[in-house]
Amino acid sequence: MKKILLYLVLMFTTLSVFSQWVQIENGLNGYPPNSLYPMETAVLLGTAGGGIYMTEDNGANWSDISGNIGNMYVNTLSGVMDAGSGNYLVLAGTEDGAYYAGNDHNYTDCSTGLTNRDVNIFYSNGYIGTNGGGFFLSNQGSGYQGPWEAYNEGIDSEDGLIINSIAGYSDENVDYMVLATDGGVYWGNEEDYIWQENTGSLTGDALKINGITTLSTFILIATENGCYYTLDAGDSWTTLIPDVKFNLLTGGMAAGSPTGMFFILGGETSFITFDFQTWSELDLGGTGGEVTAACLSSTDLYIGVTSSSKNLEETGGVYRIPIAEIESVLVGTEEITTQSMEPLSQNYPNPVLDQTTINYQINQSGYVEIIVTDILGRKIETLVSKNQQAGDYKIQLNTQNLNHQMYFYSLYINNQIVASKKMSVVK
């Protein structure tokens, strides 16, 4: 496998930048933050013991929207547009059930079929991950209302039934789901959801996976002992950031981001990227504690911090910083080399208005593919799919039908990824 360049920003100096983080706690009661979620012009906050809060003024004021929810220990929040009313619904996974509610904050318990009601992950496309009961799928297809059915064949450890994060990707026209668990990473295809664990050489606390994201077959995990990635479905893992306890890896498409995307690793130390190539450490100033929740709105980065007192009682705080000021809380840089992507050149021009050129090099004959994906790893277009001899090649890509956002294009030889680059399309 050739070498790609990723950049990791590490701390060399300690800066006093606390004043650049705005503490936003008016209306909150100091409960530990478990989840932050941007929804239209609002931001939602799920807490451990205090229920759900919402701000519509960049955190100046928070309103309790817990309504009649059956449990105030909220592990995860997300949202979905209700086609009938045209309003967003709040989806909440709690320590005792999955719930959804509209603008009236009248929550409906939608946990029918769950044999374990401690919900860590609750997605509107019909997936639930539980804290000890494994993976559940809505038997109504993609419905968030359930009822739910367990799909845990192949998960042979109790730790593997603790699902902390779920991601997906397509490879060779097969759609895969990937589970991040306390017992490692599990792969399964969406035909039968039979799971296979593959964590290569990962051991100890690195098997406790708290976050996962995919970019085609590039899979990144956040663990309790560092951040790692794989290009070969877990057969081998490369260390990106060692020896750091991470509590989360979250992000996705974000209108306020400089590149249209955003991901954050949160934990004892926290990192942010807008392009998957440069990871920058966040100086949290005087916020203290560990980052346990994060999200990006159209204007601001929000983080939730959990701290332990001398009597081991946990409390929480929420902070934000304008996206335009994020550079002021990034510290020191060091370039590290992992996998090289030299066989694939950067497209030109980039950003792209309507057409761009991609050069690539094949060192030996084989079956060659160049695939364009969006930032969630969904296949958009196949540019090359044929046997080619060793040599230099050039391909044109027309982007007139692509949306204004970031994309990735990857070079595969004999079904193995050897290179990937990002491409920005503008309109």
Side-chain angles (χ1 to χ4, degrees):
M1 191 70 63
K2 300 286 183 179
K3 299 270 181 189
I4 67 171
L5 288 179
L6 291 172
Y7 298 90
L8 171 64
V9 175
L10 302 174
M11 180 179 292
F12 293 110
T13 58
T14 300
L15 304 178
S16 178
V17 293
F18 174 66
S19 61
Q20 293 164 334
W21 289 96
V22 180
Q23 189 169 10
I24 47 173
E25 298 186 351
N26 186 33
L28 302 180
N29 293 312
Y31 290 97
N34 284 341
S35 183
L36 282 161
Y37 184 80
M39 195 165 71
E40 288 191 310
T41 59
V43 173
L44 305 179
L45 169 67
T47 67
I52 305 173
Y53 298 84
M54 178 175 68
T55 180
E56 296 181 283
D57 54 13
N58 293 330
N61 298 281
W62 292 90
S63 301
D64 188 334
I65 61 167
S66 304
N68 65 332
I69 197 167
N71 188 276
M72 301 293 278
Y73 285 80
V74 181
N75 298 322
T76 184
L77 287 174
S78 61
V80 63
M81 176 68 74
D82 177 41
S85 66
N87 296 322
Y88 270 94
L89 300 180
V90 175
L91 307 183
T94 77
E95 287 190 357
D96 186 24
Y99 299 84
Y100 69 90
N103 294 340
D104 57 0
H105 314 314
N106 181 24
Y107 288 84
T108 298
D109 187 334
C110 56
S111 307
T112 302
L114 294 181
T115 55
N116 182 304
R117 290 175 58 93
D118 193 351
V119 177
N120 286 340
I121 303 296
F122 182 17
Y123 290 153
S124 62
N125 53 2
Y127 304 133
I128 276 183
T130 66
N131 186 21
F135 175 81
F136 289 80
L137 184 68
S138 169
N139 65 17
Q140 297 298 314
S142 61
Y144 55 86
Q145 302 180 41
W148 306 93
E149 184 176 352
Y151 285 80
N152 292 319
E153 185 176 346
I155 300 178
D156 54 6
S157 73
E158 291 185 4
D159 286 343
L161 295 174
I162 301 173
I163 313 295
N164 301 312
S165 187
I166 301 172
Y169 69 98
S170 296
D171 186 24
E172 297 182 14
N173 297 318
V174 178
D175 294 326
Y176 290 95
M177 296 293 297
V178 194
L179 306 180
T181 81
D182 267 15
V185 185
Y186 285 82
W187 273 258
N189 68 61
E190 294 192 35
E191 292 290 328
D192 53 23
Y193 296 97
I194 296 175
W195 305 100
Q196 181 175 351
E197 184 267 344
N198 197 358
T199 44
S201 60
L202 298 181
T203 59
D205 284 344
L207 292 174
K208 296 182 178 180
I209 320 295
N210 290 325
I212 189 167
T213 193
T214 60
L215 174 64
S216 186
T217 55
F218 173 83
I219 298 170
L220 186 72
I221 59 173
T223 82
E224 295 201 359
N225 189 34
C227 177
Y228 306 83
Y229 69 89
T230 181
L231 294 167
D232 54 16
D235 289 340
S236 60
W237 293 89
T238 301
T239 303
L240 180 65
I241 304 171
D243 306 323
V244 176
K245 178 192 174 188
F246 289 113
N247 300 312
L248 62 91
L249 168 56
T250 188
M253 296 177 63
S257 159
T259 61
M261 64 182 291
F262 147 84
F263 287 87
I264 185 169
L265 284 159
E268 294 176 327
T269 308
S270 297
F271 299 81
I272 189 172
T273 184
F274 294 112
D275 59 12
F276 262 117
Q277 295 190 54
T278 302
W279 288 86
S280 303
E281 183 178 338
L282 289 172
D283 188 334
L284 300 181
T287 60
E290 298 183 9
V291 173
T292 53
C295 76
L296 194 76
S297 73
S298 60
T299 58
D300 295 87
L301 170 63
Y302 291 77
I303 60 170
V305 176
T306 298
S307 303
S308 296
S309 61
K310 292 182 179 179
N311 61 4
L312 300 182
E313 188 173 316
E314 290 188 335
T315 59
V318 182
Y319 304 82
R320 70 169 176 85
I321 188 169
I323 295 170
E325 297 179 18
I326 285 179
E327 287 190 4
S328 67
V329 293
L330 306 182
V331 288
T333 63
E334 179 180 329
E335 180 179 307
I336 63 171
T337 300
T338 55
Q339 299 268 339
S340 169
M341 297 199 172
E342 291 305 315
L344 187 64
S345 297
Q346 184 65 54
N347 65 295
Y348 64 92
N350 187 45
V352 189
L353 288 173
D354 52 18
Q355 184 167 290
T356 191
T357 300
I358 298 170
N359 291 319
Y360 62 99
Q361 182 182 72
I362 306 299
N363 293 326
Q364 60 182 10
S365 61
Y367 183 70
V368 177
E369 293 177 291
I370 295 183
I371 297 173
V372 179
T373 60
D374 64 15
I375 64 171
L376 299 180
R378 295 173 297 200
K379 185 183 295 186
I380 302 299
E381 187 173 347
T382 299
L383 303 181
V384 177
S385 181
K386 60 185 176 181
N387 288 305
Q388 290 186 314
Q389 300 297 315
D392 295 329
Y393 295 89
K394 179 185 298 186
I395 188 78
Q396 301 288 327
L397 170 62
N398 188 309
T399 63
Q400 291 180 348
N401 294 325
L402 298 183
N403 294 326
H404 175 91
Q405 65 181 58
M406 184 71 67
Y407 294 89
F408 290 80
Y409 57 96
S410 302
L411 170 65
Y412 294 78
I413 300 178
N414 296 326
N415 299 318
Q416 296 291 320
I417 187 171
V418 297
S420 187
K421 295 285 186 182
K422 67 180 187 296
M423 170 179 64
S424 179
V425 174
V426 296
K427 298 296 183 182

